[in-house]
Amino acid sequence: MEFKEKLISSFMAFEETVDVHNELHDIRTLAIKNFENKGFPTKKEEAWKYTSLNAILKNDFSVFPKKDNDIDFKEVKKYFLNDVDTYKVIFIDGLFSSFLSSTTHDGLDVCLMSSALTKPKYKMIIDTYFNQIASKEESLTTLNTAFASEGAYINIPKSKVVDKPIEIIYFSTGNEAALMVQPRNLVIVGENAHVQIIERHQSLNENPVLTNSVTEIFAQKRAIVDYYKIQNDVQTANLIDNTYIAQKQESRVAVHTFSFGGNITRNNLNFFHQGERIDSTLKGVTIIGDKQHVDHYTLVQHATPNCESHQNYKGIYDGASTGVFNGKIYVEREAQKTDAFQKNNNILLSDKATINAKPQLEIFADDVKCSHGCTIGQLDDTAMFYMQQRGIPKKEAKALLMYAFTSEVTSSIKIPELRVKIAKIIATKLGVNMGFDL
C-alpha cells in the first residue's frame, strides 16, 4: 500500500483517538478529502520543481506515536535556550510533556492546542482563527489539518509585553522505526502586544522522522512578533514547515529561519497584509553539506497601501548539498506606496553543491518601490590571501569570511542568548572555534 493510501485509510481510526468538537470534525473531513484529491506534491508542480519527496515517502511511517515516551531533562537541556528563563511548550513524539513544559494562564495563554480546543471559553479559536489563513489548496497543509491533534496555543492579550521568550520544541525519540508527526500551532497576538517565540524540531536518534508542521500567526493592530526557527536536526530527519501569518494595521512581524541540519527541509513562509503601514521581515541562514537539501519558499502578499517587506536569505553549501530559494512578492493593485525588498546571496564551497534560486515580483500597482536580487559565488580569494598574510590560518580565515557573510542576518536577532547560541552552531558547522564571543 502506498503511503498516501495508508494515510487515508488511517484517518477514521485517528479520529476515534482524539476528542474533538463537531466543527473540527467537519474541518478534518474536508481536509482529508482535499488531500485525497491532491496527494503529495511532485516536481511537476512549479512550487516543488526542485524538491522531491519520493525518497522520504518510501519509509513506512507510523502516524500513531507510542505514549509514555519519557526523556531525561539532562539529555535534552542543550536544545533549550541557556541562561535565560523561558516559557516552554514541549512535545515528545507529538504528545505534550507536562514534565518538561513551563506553561501559563497568568495574564496570557501559553499552553497546548488540545486543551484550548476542549474549553468553551476558547471555542473562538475554531470559529475565528483555526484554519482561517492556512492554505486549503496546499496538500501538505490540508494533511496536517486532517491529522493534527496537538501543538502550541499562544494567545497574548491586548497591550501585553511578554516578559520572557516562549520556546516551542518537538522532540522525536525514535522509539518508532519511522514516525510521522503533524504538529499544529496557533499564535494570536493582540493589539499593541509584543512576544518573542523560538521553535525547534529535534530528533534524538537516527530513526527516520517526517514532521509536517503548520503554524498560524495572527498579529493584530500594532502588534510586534519576533519568531525564530532553529533547524539543526540529524541526517535522517525531514521537516516540512508551513507558516501562515496575517498582519493587521501597523503590526510588525519578523521571522528568522536558521537551517543547519536534517535530510530534507522545506520551509513554506506566507505573509498576508490586512491593513496599512505593516512591516514584514523574512530572514534566513542556511549552512549545509553532504547530501542535505533545504528549500525556502516565501510569499508576501501586499494587499494594502503604505506597507513594507524585507527579505534577506544567506546560503552556504558544501558537499553534494542542494539549496532552493523561491521567493515571491505579490503587489495587488490597491497596494500603492509599497516598499518591498528581496535579496538572496549564496556561496558554493564544492563543485557538487547546487543552488536553485528564483526570486519573483508580481506588481499590479504603479506607485511602488520593489527590488530583488540574487548572487551565487565562491569565497573571495583576495580577502583570503589578505587574512593569511596577517597570520590567520586558512581554515580560520575561511570560517571568518563565512561568518561575516551571515552576520547581516544574525545581527538582527533580538534575544542576546539566542544570538550567542546561533553563533556557536555556525562555528560548529564551519568546523572552527572562533575564540571570541560573537
Side-chain angles (χ1 to χ4, degrees):
M1 182 185 298
E2 291 187 1
F3 188 48
K4 174 188 171 183
E5 282 68 36
K6 177 182 177 180
L7 286 169
I8 294 169
S9 64
S10 301
F11 177 70
M12 293 298 293
F14 167 78
E15 275 229 301
E16 292 177 0
T17 67
V18 293
D19 181 21
V20 297
H21 295 282
N22 290 332
E23 297 94 330
L24 195 53
H25 166 77
D26 294 340
I27 291 173
R28 289 187 192 279
T29 302
L30 178 60
I32 196 64
K33 289 180 180 178
N34 288 340
F35 174 73
E36 185 176 9
N37 291 332
K38 294 179 180 298
F40 285 98
T42 70
K43 296 180 75 172
K44 293 181 180 179
E45 300 176 35
E46 186 64 26
W48 288 82
K49 182 177 180 180
Y50 302 109
T51 299
S52 172
L53 301 179
N54 291 341
I56 301 175
L57 300 179
K58 291 178 181 179
N59 291 288
D60 186 21
F61 290 108
S62 169
V63 295
F64 299 102
K66 295 178 181 178
K67 296 184 179 181
D68 303 321
N69 286 338
D70 294 328
I71 54 180
D72 190 342
F73 175 75
K74 294 180 181 178
E75 183 183 1
V76 298
K77 66 178 183 179
K78 62 183 177 181
Y79 301 115
F80 298 135
L81 192 60
N82 299 324
D83 303 321
V84 61
D85 188 22
T86 64
Y87 296 110
K88 297 179 179 66
V89 191
I90 310 300
F91 301 89
I92 304 173
D93 293 336
L95 303 175
F96 178 67
S97 171
S98 58
F99 172 71
L100 293 176
S101 297
S102 173
T103 59
T104 183
H105 294 283
D106 185 15
L108 66 156
D109 287 308
V110 179
C111 62
L112 60 160
M113 179 76 78
S114 62
S115 175
L117 289 172
T118 58
K119 291 180 170 56
K121 72 174 183 176
Y122 294 131
K123 184 177 179 297
M124 61 166 290
I125 72 174
I126 298 176
D127 299 332
T128 308
Y129 293 106
F130 188 86
N131 206 36
Q132 294 303 304
I133 53 172
S135 173
K136 299 172 181 62
E137 302 299 324
E138 213 289 318
S139 63
L140 291 171
T141 298
T142 62
L143 179 62
N144 176 281
T145 299
F147 277 94
S149 62
E150 198 55 279
Y153 170 61
I154 298 171
N155 191 348
I156 312 301
K158 182 178 180 179
S159 301
K160 176 72 174 181
V161 178
V162 182
D163 58 344
K164 52 189 178 182
I166 300 170
E167 293 187 271
I168 307 171
I169 304 182
Y170 293 90
F171 290 112
S172 300
T173 64
N175 291 339
E176 302 279 356
L179 178 65
M180 183 177 188
V181 291
Q182 309 209 58
R184 185 66 168 241
N185 304 314
L186 177 59
V187 179
I188 304 165
V189 186
E191 290 185 25
N192 301 305
H194 183 189
V195 65
Q196 297 174 321
I197 301 173
I198 304 165
E199 177 187 334
R200 182 165 188 160
H201 302 265
Q202 187 67 47
S203 299
L204 300 179
N205 76 5
E206 300 299 323
N207 281 346
V209 173
L210 172 57
T211 299
N212 179 36
S213 175
V214 172
T215 299
E216 293 177 275
I217 302 173
F218 293 83
Q220 306 300 336
K221 293 180 180 180
R222 295 176 296 281
I224 301 176
V225 182
D226 294 311
Y227 207 101
Y228 302 94
K229 298 174 181 286
I230 304 176
Q231 300 165 347
N232 190 27
D233 217 336
V234 298
Q235 293 276 8
T236 52
N238 306 280
L239 172 64
I240 301 164
D241 188 347
N242 308 281
T243 302
Y244 300 89
I245 300 167
Q247 291 185 247
K248 297 293 187 182
Q249 177 182 332
E250 298 180 31
S251 61
R252 296 170 57 192
V253 178
V255 177
H256 289 67
T257 305
F258 299 99
S259 302
F260 303 126
N263 177 31
I264 292 180
T265 301
R266 164 79 177 212
N267 292 301
N268 299 314
L269 182 55
N270 306 273
F271 279 73
F272 302 97
H273 289 184
Q274 300 175 352
E276 293 193 38
R277 294 180 294 280
I278 287 170
D279 190 292
S280 303
T281 299
L282 303 77
K283 292 188 176 184
V285 173
T286 300
I287 305 176
I288 54 174
D290 299 323
K291 295 182 179 180
Q292 292 177 284
H293 182 107
V294 172
D295 182 345
H296 294 287
Y297 185 92
T298 69
L299 166 67
V300 181
Q301 186 172 22
H302 286 268
T304 51
N306 302 300
C307 295
E308 298 184 16
S309 66
H310 310 273
Q311 299 186 54
N312 192 353
Y313 282 79
K314 305 284 189 177
I316 300 174
Y317 303 94
D318 204 352
S321 63
T322 302
V324 181
F325 177 77
N326 193 336
K328 185 175 182 179
I329 298 172
Y330 188 93
V331 183
E332 296 186 13
R333 189 178 304 277
E334 295 80 8
Q336 304 294 338
K337 303 293 184 182
T338 289
D339 185 351
F341 169 81
Q342 183 186 86
K343 183 167 68 171
N344 173 228
N345 302 122
N346 305 282
I347 294 176
L348 300 181
L349 300 178
S350 165
D351 292 338
K352 296 181 179 180
T354 304
I355 175 68
N356 300 287
K358 187 181 178 184
Q360 303 173 71
L361 293 175
E362 289 193 32
I363 304 171
F364 297 93
D366 53 17
D367 185 7
V368 301
K369 184 170 67 173
C370 298
S371 64
H372 64 182
C374 173
T375 62
I376 302 171
Q378 298 176 324
L379 289 176
D380 187 338
D381 290 336
T382 302
M384 283 284 293
F385 177 78
Y386 179 87
M387 296 173 74
Q388 288 179 266
Q389 288 293 98
R390 279 146 184 80
I392 301 175
K394 182 176 181 180
K395 184 178 181 181
E396 282 70 19
K398 182 178 178 181
L400 283 171
L401 286 176
M402 288 188 287
Y403 185 82
F405 174 74
T406 67
S407 64
E408 194 174 3
V409 173
T410 58
S411 62
S412 63
I413 300 173
K414 295 181 181 179
I415 304 173
E417 296 83 1
L418 180 60
R419 192 183 309 121
V420 171
K421 190 178 191 71
I422 294 298
K424 290 180 179 179
I425 294 175
I426 291 176
T428 301
K429 289 292 294 185
L430 299 180
V432 298
N433 183 354
M434 293 294 190
F436 57 89
D437 292 332
L438 299 171

